[in-house]
Amino acid sequence: MSEPAPIRTTCAYCGVGCGISATVTGDRAVTIAGDKDHPANHGRLCSKGTHLGETVGLEGRLLHPMIGDKRVNWDKALDTVARRFRQVIAEHGPDAVAFYVSGQLLTEDYYVANKLMKGFIGSGNIDTNSRLCMSSAVAGHIRAFGEDVVPASYADLDEADLFVLVGSNTAWCHPVVYQRIQATRAARGAKMVVIDPRRTETCEDADLHLPIRPGSDVALMNGLLLHLRKAGLLDDAYIARSLSVPDGFWDKLEAESDLWTVARACDLPPATVRRLYEMFAATPRAITLFSQGINQSLRGTDQVNAIINVHLATGRIGKPGAAPFSITGQPNAMGGREVGGLASTLAAHMDFAPENVARVGRFWSAPLMADKPGLKAVDMFRALGEGRIKAIWVMATNPAVSMPDAGNVRQALADCPFVVVSDIIADTDTSRFAHVRLPAAGWAEKDGTVTNSERRISRQRALLPLPGEAKPDWWIVGEVARRMGWGSAFSYERPADIFREHARLSAYENRGKRLFDIGSHAAIGNLAYDEMAPFCWGDRLFADGHFPTPDGKARLVPVTQMTLADPLRDWPMTLNTGRYRDQWHTMTRTGLSPKLARHREEPLVEIHPLDAEVLGLDEGDIARVSTPQGETLFRVALSEGQRRGDIFTPIHWTDRQSTGGRTGLLPRPLTDPNSGQPGFKSTPARVEKVALAWRAFLVVRCAAPRWPAGLWVTRIAVPNGALYELAGDGDPAALEACLPKGQWIETVDKARGGRRIAVLDDGRLSAVLFVTRDGELPSRDWLIAQLAEAQASPLVLAGRAPGVQADRGAVICVCFDIGLRTIMAAIAEKSLADVGAIGKALGAGTNCGSCRPALARILSECQPREAIHAAS
Ligand code: SF4
């Protein structure tokens, strides 16, 4: 029998948009490799992309339309959605309904949803979770360039001599871009500066790290611009020809941005600031790459423009290896921007100017065009809570977890008269509030296009058949539109039909006014669409110094550093939030992978050791993090990489995986005034130790029959089952209820209040529960491995067999399952001196490479002090 042919598709996760070569090897089984011919990654994949094959099973999938808890057929579900939306619109007007969509949608899905809301329902109330990721970049681009255009490509990364990474943990969040940067550094000696309040793994190998005070980036960039001006390094000819500079721009900069003022505002040594400025001044080919640390701020748009100002005024734009470069979080945030999936844009890079509304209305033959922007995400859920929105459709996202002030978002969803959720997962924190749930196609079943951070449009191709009654999002939205009375405008038979219309609209009455123009693809045939190769729209943008503004010039935007408040007495810490290397959003997919789960098994609050000491916290304690919006628990991790006074928590955990770690409850629902993007990066907070009477863990085949009772319960997938970490203050005997039926064997340690129970089923291990009040708990690894054995070891209650390594430590290399202690032992025993040597000895870091920054950090921490001094 011949081998199945690989299918070229695109990764499901971040905005790098890596090409994947996927081979279907069985029923819901796919092997994953990097697509060597895809220009975004040339065959590289990070740990998340590498393990996509572990996430295509049907565990937890929503497979049938549901009204409440009742399974219904598609006709009934779609008729109900259409009828209830029509009713609300008839009674309260079109602005009483809303769609909240996602950067996980394909461009074709996005296009149809945007068209229905803005052209037929007649409201601008469609916004996307990309609002939370990069809308400040959108607003900054429009203010500076006149259009939301990213003026860089990944090829520029190969030609730069300096990388300034601002508010971006690139090594974790965009690992393949990070690897490309590292390759350029190795090939041409390019330098890398990281500007980030935290010392992340991205900083490990940096030439310079600036642990900047959160929110002071405008001061730093304005100071850089002034330094370059004083050094005579502005491109005066370019400024005269291509830039519009407001009156008083330079005087204002001069008054506020001297080195000492900047250093004080940023809480950095002046010498460190000067070093950055001199590096930038000496390097014409510089890329400033920015991400959520810049965008997710109450002054995110100003921060974006402060960066762009520097590049514009020095002519470091439109040339090889020189640009400001916004890297997007989600796989298709850019596709959403192209179709107009944000409430603040209309369609195809047009805004709500009357001539644009009229133009799009003509193109769509739309009966009722929205003539003004709709509500942005935070305002949308506020309107929901206030009863102004009475019906909402949430597509492929989980706002009950991911929105700021998520407790109030939940209440708003609970109070809303009609909530529709289309998703691949049956039970999410958001779908619990849904009146109607619609089963959508998942990554491995979707067919369409996505656009990555460099404006490259790639095909995502279906690998597997649609399971159960799941349907593509474009089909679901189109069917609702048809039932609302607009069938002829939504009579698409396949994604190619939608792509052609989208391409036609981008060119419609364009005449060179909008750079987003893919009209050359408007006549693409179905077969050619199926085979379409990845392509970037726009060649080297802005190379001619011409911008899509009325006068053809870009704008230098005056931006001023906002005053940063001192810590509050009751909320003395500053909370920063973000991602982990191996998890994605709310873990609905990555949480299915046992390998990815091992990198960070629990949600941690990272805190500087000196702050922890003041608060009486130790490594591994459970702490309550509170803000005026809410509170939730985290495991404490001491980190020298945190600034004093700052804490960091991850965004991924939900009610499905943990009783704690609910970061979304904590941030304020405050937003940047231009972009509407929430300021997730600096919330006043408090941290307190939680007193616990006992600690425990449960390893169980499949899931526990009942969610364990405890203050602290977290669950991860492990091979053949699940691992629960537990802690509490009541009687741990209540944990017995979470054990499966079977034969019990048990030991009790009265001295330390310990208890160990194993449950066997015909000699095979079903579960182990280890509890202690004062003692130590053993490593979980050997017990987890026992789930694979046909007969449980007689030593199961000992926790390990003789000769088995006690604890390999936290997993660093997920590809080869190698833990921290194993790596440290190999470094010591074999005198390993660099990351390559660790790879040769253990294999770590030799597959996807995502752990290479971590290996570098471990090496530097293992290096004897004398060696460090000698090296420096
Ligand atoms: S960097 Fe990783 S997560 Fe991002 S697209 Fe590439 S493989 Fe996927």
mmCIF file of all heavy atoms in Angstrom, residues 11 13-14 16-18 45-46 48-49 175-176, ligand 1:
data_model
loop_
_atom_site.group_PDB
_atom_site.id
_atom_site.type_symbol
_atom_site.label_atom_id
_atom_site.label_comp_id
_atom_site.label_asym_id
_atom_site.label_seq_id
_atom_site.Cartn_x
_atom_site.Cartn_y
_atom_site.Cartn_z
ATOM 1 N N CYS A 11 0.189 26.235 10.542
ATOM 2 C CA CYS A 11 0.072 25.976 11.979
ATOM 3 C C CYS A 11 -1.154 26.676 12.563
ATOM 4 O O CYS A 11 -1.560 27.749 12.112
ATOM 5 C CB CYS A 11 1.338 26.436 12.690
ATOM 6 S SG CYS A 11 1.291 26.191 14.474
ATOM 7 N N TYR A 13 -1.450 27.976 15.561
ATOM 8 C CA TYR A 13 -1.227 28.834 16.727
ATOM 9 C C TYR A 13 -0.802 30.253 16.358
ATOM 10 O O TYR A 13 -1.603 31.039 15.921
ATOM 11 C CB TYR A 13 -0.248 28.157 17.685
ATOM 12 C CG TYR A 13 -0.738 26.813 18.189
ATOM 13 C CD1 TYR A 13 -0.025 25.642 17.943
ATOM 14 C CD2 TYR A 13 -1.934 26.709 18.888
ATOM 15 C CE1 TYR A 13 -0.471 24.406 18.399
ATOM 16 C CE2 TYR A 13 -2.391 25.476 19.342
ATOM 17 C CZ TYR A 13 -1.661 24.338 19.101
ATOM 18 O OH TYR A 13 -2.115 23.131 19.546
ATOM 19 N N CYS A 14 0.464 30.583 16.515
ATOM 20 C CA CYS A 14 0.787 32.015 16.573
ATOM 21 C C CYS A 14 0.890 32.662 15.193
ATOM 22 O O CYS A 14 0.821 32.012 14.153
ATOM 23 C CB CYS A 14 2.065 32.232 17.373
ATOM 24 S SG CYS A 14 3.583 31.975 16.442
ATOM 25 N N VAL A 16 3.311 33.754 13.558
ATOM 26 C CA VAL A 16 4.440 33.463 12.660
ATOM 27 C C VAL A 16 3.908 32.786 11.401
ATOM 28 O O VAL A 16 4.387 33.034 10.302
ATOM 29 C CB VAL A 16 5.502 32.580 13.358
ATOM 30 C CG1 VAL A 16 6.655 32.278 12.405
ATOM 31 C CG2 VAL A 16 6.034 33.274 14.605
ATOM 32 N N GLY A 17 2.880 31.946 11.571
ATOM 33 C CA GLY A 17 2.235 31.344 10.407
ATOM 34 C C GLY A 17 3.082 30.302 9.718
ATOM 35 O O GLY A 17 3.225 30.300 8.482
ATOM 36 N N CYS A 18 3.644 29.379 10.486
ATOM 37 C CA CYS A 18 4.557 28.380 9.917
ATOM 38 C C CYS A 18 3.812 27.401 9.017
ATOM 39 O O CYS A 18 2.701 26.959 9.335
ATOM 40 C CB CYS A 18 5.230 27.599 11.031
ATOM 41 S SG CYS A 18 6.331 28.614 12.026
ATOM 42 N N LEU A 45 9.707 24.276 13.130
ATOM 43 C CA LEU A 45 8.491 24.390 13.934
ATOM 44 C C LEU A 45 8.903 24.507 15.384
ATOM 45 O O LEU A 45 9.960 23.993 15.772
ATOM 46 C CB LEU A 45 7.594 23.150 13.786
ATOM 47 C CG LEU A 45 6.947 22.887 12.428
ATOM 48 C CD1 LEU A 45 6.184 21.565 12.484
ATOM 49 C CD2 LEU A 45 6.010 24.012 12.030
ATOM 50 N N CYS A 46 8.083 25.132 16.191
ATOM 51 C CA CYS A 46 8.382 25.182 17.628
ATOM 52 C C CYS A 46 7.698 23.997 18.308
ATOM 53 O O CYS A 46 7.076 23.151 17.665
ATOM 54 C CB CYS A 46 7.922 26.508 18.223
ATOM 55 S SG CYS A 46 6.149 26.624 18.466
ATOM 56 N N LYS A 48 5.008 23.845 20.099
ATOM 57 C CA LYS A 48 3.550 23.778 19.937
ATOM 58 C C LYS A 48 3.197 23.201 18.560
ATOM 59 O O LYS A 48 2.369 22.300 18.454
ATOM 60 C CB LYS A 48 2.924 25.170 20.085
ATOM 61 C CG LYS A 48 2.979 25.713 21.496
ATOM 62 C CD LYS A 48 2.193 27.001 21.647
ATOM 63 C CE LYS A 48 2.894 28.183 21.024
ATOM 64 N NZ LYS A 48 4.072 28.673 21.729
ATOM 65 N N GLY A 49 3.822 23.733 17.513
ATOM 66 C CA GLY A 49 3.528 23.232 16.176
ATOM 67 C C GLY A 49 3.929 21.773 16.029
ATOM 68 O O GLY A 49 3.193 20.963 15.437
ATOM 69 N N PRO A 175 8.571 31.461 18.588
ATOM 70 C CA PRO A 175 9.883 30.793 18.642
ATOM 71 C C PRO A 175 10.582 30.680 17.289
ATOM 72 O O PRO A 175 11.816 30.751 17.233
ATOM 73 C CB PRO A 175 9.552 29.406 19.189
ATOM 74 C CG PRO A 175 8.239 29.562 19.876
ATOM 75 C CD PRO A 175 7.496 30.618 19.119
ATOM 76 N N VAL A 176 9.828 30.529 16.225
ATOM 77 C CA VAL A 176 10.496 30.358 14.928
ATOM 78 C C VAL A 176 11.088 31.687 14.444
ATOM 79 O O VAL A 176 12.158 31.714 13.823
ATOM 80 C CB VAL A 176 9.530 29.712 13.917
ATOM 81 C CG1 VAL A 176 10.069 29.787 12.504
ATOM 82 C CG2 VAL A 176 9.284 28.260 14.321
HETATM 83 S S1 SF4 B 1 6.232 29.565 15.805
HETATM 84 FE FE1 SF4 B 1 5.325 27.679 16.625
HETATM 85 S S2 SF4 B 1 3.225 28.225 17.221
HETATM 86 FE FE2 SF4 B 1 3.997 29.835 15.880
HETATM 87 S S3 SF4 B 1 3.254 29.257 13.848
HETATM 88 FE FE3 SF4 B 1 5.351 28.441 14.074
HETATM 89 S S4 SF4 B 1 5.102 26.342 14.821
HETATM 90 FE FE4 SF4 B 1 3.142 27.404 15.123
#
